[in-house]
Amino acid sequence: MTTTAVRSRTDARDGRLPGVWGLGLRRGALEIKQFFRQRDQVVFTFAFPVVFLFLFASIFSDDVEGAGIKASQLYVPAMMAAGIMSTSFQSLGISIAVERDEKVLRRLRGTPMPPAAYFLGKIWLVLVTGILETAILLLVGTTLYDVDLPSDAGKWFAFAWIFVLGLTGCALLGIAVSSVPKSSKSASSVVVLPFLVLQFISGVYISIDTIPDWMLNIGALFPLKWMCQGLRGVFLPDSAQVLEQAGGWELGRTALVLGAWCVGGLLLCLLTFRWKNRRDG
């Protein structure tokens, strides 16, 4: 029996019936505690985008002609967007698939804990790790690569809604894609491969002005491209807009696409999520 289930029964005996939000918060605290107990996972999760930022920013450090920035500065918002998707889409897509294969989900389904509390716990985990990942990359970017923090409230507001919508949409997409792997052994391959491809065609590793339009159009169907573009609009000067496919930051379209992925991701979760493997019936 899980800790959450034991606590919920204890509360019931005391005459207090915990709600879904309360159980979700407790479940989230448990998820966060379990995450930080796995030190190798913590180091890999937070160090991976920082290492890639350092590598690419060190290799490509020349001035970008006509954009008023250095090539290294392009990688800071791009890696922030990739970090958000890594801590949400990739993390949930793999971890939930593993928990399903190990029958953890099946056991949780048999407890009094409402299903929504399980997902709220995952969202709390994603939120905490996403904030920490973004803060680390922002610190590295402002310290080593001359990226300036926004000077007006409007850009900070844009940063907030890009983070929230991007994290939510990617988390829901991760929950949905967790039903694709047939076993825990294939989970990493099934989830990491499309994420890696998206990073190449969404402007994370390669400058957006050097990617073929047909690849950019495919990348534009997914949230990562729009998170990269939106965060560039927040942290880079307006002179860098000339590098974008449409010649502008398109923050309005970014909000629409990320919002659509939040709605579409929720529908995908409702249609595809399973508590048991296919072989379990």
Side-chain angles (χ1 to χ4, degrees):
M1 185 180 298
T2 65
T3 303
T4 305
V6 171
R7 288 180 176 175
S8 65
R9 291 188 176 183
T10 301
D11 288 342
R13 288 196 298 269
D14 293 340
R16 292 179 288 110
L17 298 176
V20 173
W21 288 103
L23 289 173
L25 183 60
R26 293 177 181 179
R27 180 73 197 177
L30 179 62
E31 293 274 0
I32 294 169
K33 185 182 296 185
Q34 289 176 336
F35 172 79
F36 281 101
R37 282 178 177 174
Q38 302 177 42
R39 295 183 180 179
D40 53 343
Q41 181 182 4
V42 172
V43 171
F44 179 82
T45 298
F46 293 126
F48 187 82
V50 175
V51 171
F52 267 66
L53 172 59
F54 176 77
L55 289 174
F56 279 97
S58 298
I59 297 170
F60 305 100
S61 58
D62 297 334
D63 293 337
V64 180
E65 185 177 355
I69 60 171
K70 293 181 178 180
S72 57
Q73 292 175 296
L74 281 171
Y75 286 105
V76 176
M79 287 299 176
M80 289 171 61
I84 292 171
M85 193 166 186
S86 174
T87 56
S88 52
F89 169 76
Q90 180 174 296
S91 174
L92 293 186
I94 295 174
S95 65
I96 294 177
V98 171
E99 289 177 355
R100 180 184 294 110
D101 192 51
E102 295 178 349
K103 296 183 172 50
V104 174
L105 296 187
R106 190 172 184 177
R107 292 194 294 271
L108 287 174
R109 194 71 177 93
T111 70
M113 183 182 72
Y118 170 77
F119 297 108
L120 286 173
K122 291 295 186 183
I123 295 299
W124 278 114
L125 172 64
V126 165
L127 180 61
V128 171
T129 54
I131 290 174
L132 289 175
E133 183 79 270
T134 303
I136 292 170
L137 288 167
L138 188 56
L139 177 63
V140 173
T142 55
T143 303
L144 300 180
Y145 303 112
D146 300 322
V147 172
D148 295 325
L149 294 176
S151 57
D152 62 272
K155 286 197 171 184
W156 279 114
F157 177 69
F159 171 67
W161 63 254
I162 291 169
F163 177 84
V164 171
L165 291 179
L167 190 77
T168 303
C170 291
L172 290 170
L173 185 57
I175 294 172
V177 82
S178 70
S179 297
V180 176
K182 294 182 179 180
S183 68
S184 58
K185 294 180 180 179
S186 63
S188 295
S189 300
V190 170
V191 176
V192 172
L193 179 59
F195 179 42
L196 182 62
V197 172
L198 280 178
Q199 290 178 85
F200 275 97
I201 66 175
S202 300
V204 176
Y205 297 142
I206 302 174
S207 178
I208 204 79
D209 61 329
T210 62
I211 302 174
D213 283 342
W214 67 270
M215 285 189 180
L216 288 175
N217 292 334
I218 295 175
L221 299 174
F222 300 92
L224 182 58
K225 185 263 186 185
W226 298 99
M227 287 193 292
C228 290
Q229 183 170 310
L231 291 176
R232 284 194 292 268
V234 171
F235 293 104
L236 298 182
D238 289 340
S239 58
Q241 293 184 78
V242 296
L243 301 175
E244 300 298 334
Q245 186 180 21
W249 301 131
E250 299 182 289
L251 291 181
R253 181 173 292 183
T254 298
L256 288 175
V257 174
L258 294 181
W261 266 107
C262 291
V263 176
L266 179 60
L267 292 176
L268 283 174
C269 291
L270 294 174
L271 291 173
T272 64
F273 187 81
R274 302 188 312 275
W275 294 92
K276 298 183 294 184
N277 273 331
R278 296 185 184 94
R279 61 177 179 269
D280 295 329

